[in-house]
Amino acid sequence: MRLRLPVYEALARGFLAGAADGLSAAERSLLVTGALVIVYEQALRFLADYLDGDRDYRTSRPGHNLDRARTQLRLLELLEAARPRLEAVLASAGSAPGPFMGPA
């Protein structure tokens, strides 16, 4: 698994182009934190479902939800390691128009 920063940057620019006027400075500053929390929450939900007998998420094989939980935890590690770069992308996405931002 790896993070593809160019894809992240394109998504961030597109999201901010559509939502920037509706975001407060505090909300904008917490976008990366929010992503980390959602990934962590999903990891916990997959793990809890695995421990509860796979009752909520459909699985195709034994241990499927455990593997999903492990994958989410790995994604969380990658996001945490890249956090300064992710935040820098968001900061620059708001300060200079990009391919998805349209005219300033």
Side-chain angles (χ1 to χ4, degrees):
M1 175 182 291
R2 65 184 175 89
L3 292 178
R4 297 182 301 173
L5 285 176
V7 173
Y8 170 80
E9 183 172 5
L11 290 170
R13 288 186 183 281
F15 175 77
L16 290 175
D21 292 341
L23 294 175
S24 70
E27 290 168 328
R28 187 183 171 111
S29 73
L30 292 171
L31 287 173
V32 173
T33 300
L36 295 170
V37 169
I38 289 170
V39 171
Y40 182 61
E41 177 186 1
Q42 193 61 52
L44 293 178
R45 291 181 70 189
F46 283 136
L47 180 59
D49 196 43
Y50 167 76
L51 295 172
D52 195 32
D54 300 321
R55 299 169 75 186
D56 293 324
Y57 291 101
R58 184 176 300 180
T59 61
S60 60
R61 57 183 167 70
H64 193 174
N65 279 325
L66 180 59
D67 289 341
R68 288 172 170 162
R70 289 176 175 149
T71 299
Q72 291 296 297
L73 291 172
R74 176 64 181 138
L75 176 58
L76 182 62
E77 289 174 350
L78 293 171
L79 289 170
E80 286 179 333
R83 185 178 192 146
R85 292 183 295 172
L86 301 177
E87 290 174 343
V89 165
L90 286 174
S92 70
S95 62
F100 301 103
M101 296 282 288

